[in-house]
């Protein structure tokens, strides 16, 4: 029986992917472990490997195709001993969705030549739910959006009431819809805003260039809107003196042993910030939490996302168990994560999850800002530039290196007093950095 190759879900939140290029062509024999194709998500480029033997009978989705929904048919494989022509002619009508499974970051590779075949692999994975209120497959969501139908008004017939393709098609054909609720009616204008054509009419033709959004920018936009609309942000700002930290940093870096003629590490202020926040969360464990509608998740590990700017957007690789790691280990790990993030070579488990995050714009001279919480985190620390300021000590003015930091909290999970306790603990470690080394 022909094997239908579907667009794989390479992460729990993936809904679409770009089929970057095929590494096999129609007629090629494939065996378990062969790399079939490269797929770009909003965060990384992944290799997809086959798990079955057979012959690639038909490529359904061409290389270079963008926004291919998870679970969409992209290729057909003829099983061992099966007629290739018959399998290709089946058009994917026969079930048996199988094949491509493991995914890993793809190595750098030259673009596929113009003669490269149209193609794609696949894997079976359950589509991610559309959100907390409505569960729908990616294809169903796309059809509903194209048909201007509110998913909340459609009854799902899939597993556990999930909305699937046939439900949306039935609604488009005139099927019964649930009454629009006040919540969905009022939310629609907020979500949609001005239409593209309305915005363009505000500017003279020829005075702008249209640059289509890539998948990363779309994901960032969607998650930021979701975060600001659904998370009640609460902000706390403190100033931290850096003189002791700067002196300790200099001593730590001077004492770095050489490996291959280079220092084994070079600790930055940001490395101290990561360690200090981790230690603060360990000291105030009630703030190391995630809000869900049914319960508070109190984490036993402290995993910190660190915002890294990359072409076209940003990503937050995660330093796992940051409270248990030395400053030199954090420093070297961040250098590796940041380098691979900029090349989109991170694995999903290296940028997903985490219990809090750090966003540092100090290197750009930004004095103060408030960061947007990145779900599922309940907190994020925004770090400004260290600068010389006049402060009062013992009743006398003096000059000190000072850094402003702002803690954004999800007020459902971390209220004002608890947030104040956390940021005070952070300031203690920054101003007494030796406490992070003992």
């Amino acid at each position: 029986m022909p094997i239908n190759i579907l667009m794989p879900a390479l992460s729990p939140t993936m809904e679409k992917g770009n089929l970057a290029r095929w590494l096999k062509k129609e007629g090629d024999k494939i065996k378990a472990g062969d790399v079939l194709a490269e797929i770009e998500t909003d965060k990384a480029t992944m290799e997809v490997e086959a798990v079955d033997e057979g012959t690639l009978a038909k490529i359904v989705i061409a290389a270079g195709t963008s926004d291919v929904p998870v679970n969409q048919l992209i290729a057909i494989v003829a099983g061992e001993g099966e007629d290739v022509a018959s399998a290709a002619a089946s058009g994917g009508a026969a079930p048996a969705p199988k094949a491509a499974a493991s995914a890993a970051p793809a190595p750098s590779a030259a673009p596929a030549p113009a003669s490269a075949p149209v193609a794609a692999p696949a894997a079976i994975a359950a589509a991610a739910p559309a959100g907390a209120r409505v569960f729908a497959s990616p294809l169903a969501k796309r059809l509903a959006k194209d048909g201007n139908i509110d998913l909340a008004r459609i009854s799902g017939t899939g597993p556990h009431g999930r909305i699937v393709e046939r439900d949306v098609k039935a609604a488009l054909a005139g099927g019964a819809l649930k009454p629009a609720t006040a919540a969905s009616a009022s939310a629609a204008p907020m979500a949609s805003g001005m239409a593209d054509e309305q915005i363009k009419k505000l500017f003279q033709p020829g005075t702008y260039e249209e640059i289509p959004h890539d998948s990363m920018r779309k994901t960032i936009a969607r998650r930021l809107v979701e975060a600001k609309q659904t998370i009640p942000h609460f902000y706390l700002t403190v100033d931290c003196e850096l003189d002791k930290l700067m002196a300790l940093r200099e001593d730590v870096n001077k004492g770095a042993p050489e490996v291959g003629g280079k220092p084994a590490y070079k600790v930055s202020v940001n490395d101290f910030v990561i360690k200090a926040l981790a230690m603060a969360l360990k000291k105030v464990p009630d703030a190391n939490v995630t809000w869900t509608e049914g319960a508070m998740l109190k984490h036993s590990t402290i995993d910190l996302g660190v915002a890294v700017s990359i072409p076209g957007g940003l990503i937050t690789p995660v330093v796992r168990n940051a409270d248990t790691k030395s400053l030199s280990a954090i420093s070297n790990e961040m250098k590796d994560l940041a380098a691979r993030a900029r090349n989109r070579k991170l694995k999903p488990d290296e940028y997903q999850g985490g219990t809090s995050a750090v966003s540092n714009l100090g290197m750009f001279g930004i004095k103060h800002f408030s960061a947007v919480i990145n779900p599922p985190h309940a907190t994020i620390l925004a770090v400004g530039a260290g600068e010389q300021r006049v402060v009062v000590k013992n009743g006398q003015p003096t000059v000190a290196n000072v850094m402003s930091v702002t803690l954004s909290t999800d007020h459902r999970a971390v209220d004002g007093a608890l947030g104040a306790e956390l940021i005070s603990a952070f300031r203690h470690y920054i101003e007494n950095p030796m406490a992070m080394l003992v």
Side-chain angles (χ1 to χ4, degrees):
M1 179 179 292
I3 299 170
N4 292 344
I5 304 297
L6 311 178
M7 184 66 170
L10 302 178
S11 73
T13 58
M14 177 177 166
E15 296 180 358
K16 298 178 182 178
N18 301 332
L19 211 158
R21 69 169 185 154
W22 284 92
L23 294 129
K24 296 290 184 180
K25 61 182 183 295
E26 291 182 354
D28 280 359
K29 294 283 187 180
I30 59 174
K31 59 182 184 296
D34 281 353
V35 178
L36 300 177
E38 291 178 359
I39 293 175
E40 294 176 348
T41 69
D42 58 308
K43 302 292 186 183
T45 299
M46 312 292 285
E47 288 180 346
V48 180
E49 299 176 357
V51 296
D52 280 332
E53 295 186 357
T55 302
L56 187 56
K58 183 178 182 181
I59 290 170
V60 180
I61 300 296
T65 302
S66 300
D67 294 335
V68 181
V70 166
N71 285 346
Q72 179 168 319
L73 179 69
I74 55 176
I76 301 170
V77 170
E80 281 295 300
E82 190 172 11
D83 182 69
V84 175
S86 298
S90 71
K98 211 176 177 186
S102 53
S108 300
S115 59
V118 194
I124 303 178
R133 299 179 183 82
V134 179
F135 292 87
S137 71
L139 180 55
K141 288 192 287 185
R142 188 186 68 174
L143 292 173
K145 180 180 178 182
D146 292 344
N148 197 27
I149 292 181
D150 183 1
L151 278 171
R153 300 185 62 194
I154 299 175
S155 296
T157 62
H160 307 291
R162 189 161 170 260
I163 299 169
V164 293
E165 177 186 6
R166 62 175 174 267
D167 302 321
V168 181
K169 286 185 175 179
L172 290 170
L177 293 173
K178 298 177 185 177
T181 63
S184 62
S186 61
M190 185 185 300
S192 60
M194 295 177 65
D196 288 8
E197 294 308 315
Q198 289 178 303
I199 295 173
K200 293 175 188 177
K201 288 179 181 179
L202 299 175
F203 305 96
Q204 290 293 325
T207 63
Y208 58 83
E209 176 188 1
E210 288 193 58
I211 303 173
H213 302 307
D214 61 15
S215 56
M216 172 175 285
R217 182 51 57 186
K218 290 177 182 177
T219 300
I220 290 173
R222 174 174 52 79
R223 287 179 61 83
L224 288 178
V225 170
E226 175 189 356
K228 292 297 286 186
Q229 287 184 344
T230 63
I231 297 176
H233 283 58
F234 183 79
Y235 306 101
L236 298 159
T237 300
V238 296
D239 292 335
C240 305
E241 292 191 17
L242 296 176
D243 293 304
K244 291 181 181 179
L245 186 151
M246 298 299 287
L248 178 60
R249 173 177 175 263
E250 185 175 356
D251 289 342
V252 167
N253 287 335
K254 279 183 179 178
E258 288 197 355
V259 176
K262 295 182 179 180
Y265 54 81
K266 185 176 182 181
V267 176
S268 68
V269 172
N270 199 54
D271 300 325
F272 278 94
V273 167
I274 295 168
K275 179 70 172 181
L277 180 57
M279 296 294 287
L281 285 165
K282 184 176 182 179
K283 187 175 182 179
V284 189
D286 286 346
N288 191 38
V289 295
T290 291
W291 171 269
T292 73
E293 293 300 327
M296 192 80 76
L297 308 184
K298 190 171 182 179
H299 302 289
S300 59
T301 61
I302 299 172
D303 305 325
L304 298 185
V306 183
V308 173
S309 177
I310 63 176
L314 60 85
I315 191 171
T316 53
V318 178
V319 179
R320 308 284 177 184
N321 300 299
D323 59 311
T324 68
K325 292 178 177 175
S326 66
L327 285 164
S328 59
I330 290 173
S331 179
N332 288 336
E333 184 173 342
M334 273 308 307
K335 287 180 175 65
D336 172 62
L337 289 170
R340 289 191 291 116
R342 293 186 181 100
N343 291 322
R344 298 200 178 194
K345 300 303 179 186
L346 292 179
K347 301 175 184 176
D349 62 1
E350 292 179 311
Y351 59 79
Q352 292 178 346
T355 61
S356 186
V358 171
S359 180
N360 191 341
L361 294 178
M363 66 286 294
F364 297 105
I366 302 300
K367 181 177 181 179
H368 166 266
F369 70 103
S370 300
V372 179
I373 295 169
N374 183 28
H377 304 163
T379 55
I380 185 170
L381 188 72
V383 182
E387 60 182 3
Q388 288 192 331
R389 301 183 198 170
V390 176
V391 299
V392 177
K393 292 185 178 181
N394 301 318
Q396 298 295 321
T398 187
V399 176
N401 286 293
V402 179
M403 172 181 73
S404 294
V405 296
T406 297
L407 181 71
S408 303
T409 74
D410 180 344
H411 212 321
R412 300 169 300 177
V414 179
D415 58 25
L418 183 59
E421 189 179 352
L422 177 62
I423 200 168
S424 294
F426 171 81
R427 178 169 57 186
H428 167 76
Y429 285 113
I430 289 294
E431 295 187 343
N432 301 276
M434 283 296 297
M436 290 187 266
L437 305 183
V438 296

